[in-house]
Amino acid sequence: MAFHCSIFPFLLLSFLSIPAQSFSLNTSDYMYTHDCHDLTAGRTLLQTRPGVPGMDVSSHQGNVNWRTAYNNGARFAYIKATEGTGYTNPYFSQQYVGSYRAGFIRGAYHFGRPDISNGATQATYFLKNGGRWSSDGRTLPGALDIEYNPSCGSSCTPAQKCYNLRKPELGKWIQDFVNTYRKGTGVYPVIYSTADWYNTCVGTYGDFSSVCPFWLACYCPRVITYPYNWKVYTFWQYADSGTFPGDQNVFNGPYSQLQKLAKG
């Protein structure tokens, strides 16, 4: 499931495909998302490129020392809240409240399971269990992590990788999630995925580039491949370990624009 990554120059957030509500954004306990080569080079590059450093965590990280992460340079975090309609992160309160108290701009994410129930049902479950948003300048829009089927992992058949659903069906699943989240919060969610999974399983049946910020998972030194119609990422998850607990991320813009996204 490898795809190659090439150079994509840094762009200021004013040129990003961020939804109108921001300017008029996941990660699962399962990580089958690392499709790019040369992980070490990717980490080295991100130490010097422009952008705001951040992280994402789940129950795997347990109780996080947020003050240390902040002192080491992280300024935003995404915390896993829910998966499907039957899982909530047992560490969510410590991670979500703790990051806020330490000074982070933070948000929650939902790991989508199209094999369990429809998108509207899962968005509602997310909203009831930590996924809400507030216009306080410190809370990022909730994120939908939609990616490889964790039930079969690397042994997935092509159909299983896409939850045994066709592209139009997965496009509708995401649309229902997006619409329900938007109705419940007034903002569009961030969408997290890999270019490989999205283009393979959703393709042209899911164009959310004009409304949803994109959170790219690519463990690569440079980025050129995007899901359909997105031209740039808002967040980039570039490694599964590093300076901060959990996955390593960067926001594509200055801190003031990160604040603006959180403000709505």
Side-chain angles (χ1 to χ4, degrees), residues 60-252:
H60 286 306
Q61 283 69 49
N63 292 321
V64 174
N65 188 329
W66 291 105
R67 178 53 57 190
T68 296
Y70 189 90
N71 290 341
N72 286 336
R75 290 296 179 267
F76 74 88
Y78 265 107
I79 295 103
K80 182 174 183 177
T82 51
E83 177 174 332
T85 53
Y87 173 86
T88 57
N89 176 5
Y91 294 93
F92 182 75
S93 180
Q94 190 277 342
Q95 294 173 349
Y96 195 73
V97 177
S99 57
Y100 184 90
R101 289 175 175 171
F104 281 76
I105 295 176
R106 51 63 168 131
Y109 76 86
H110 172 80
F111 189 92
R113 292 293 301 270
D115 56 329
I116 292 175
S117 59
N118 63 53
T121 298
Q122 292 194 30
T124 299
Y125 183 73
F126 180 43
L127 288 166
K128 290 180 177 178
N129 292 280
R132 301 203 67 84
W133 171 84
S134 62
S135 182
D136 60 0
R138 298 279 304 281
T139 304
L140 292 165
L144 168 63
D145 179 347
I146 186 72
E147 53 168 289
Y148 305 101
N149 185 348
S151 65
C152 51
S154 59
S155 66
C156 282
T157 66
Q160 288 173 329
K161 183 169 80 168
C162 303
Y163 300 91
N164 293 307
L165 296 174
R166 296 178 296 111
K167 289 181 179 179
E169 293 172 316
L170 277 170
K172 184 179 186 305
W173 193 98
I174 297 170
Q175 184 69 69
D176 288 346
F177 186 100
V178 168
N179 289 346
T180 303
Y181 189 85
R182 163 76 167 171
K183 182 177 180 181
T185 63
V187 296
Y188 288 99
V190 173
I191 293 180
Y192 166 103
S193 194
T194 71
D196 172 71
W197 185 88
Y198 200 96
N199 289 331
T200 299
C201 297
V202 184
T204 60
Y205 290 93
D207 181 8
F208 304 97
S209 60
S210 64
V211 293
C212 294
F214 184 57
W215 180 4
L216 173 69
C218 183
Y219 288 18
C220 50
R222 296 176 292 260
V223 177
I224 195 171
T225 306
Y226 291 90
Y228 175 66
N229 248 15
W230 272 293
K231 301 298 189 294
V232 69
Y233 61 86
T234 300
F235 298 98
W236 177 8
Q237 182 194 82
Y238 62 89
D240 62 359
S241 64
T243 302
F244 316 124
D247 301 311
Q248 312 297 290
N249 292 266
V250 67
F251 172 76
N252 194 1

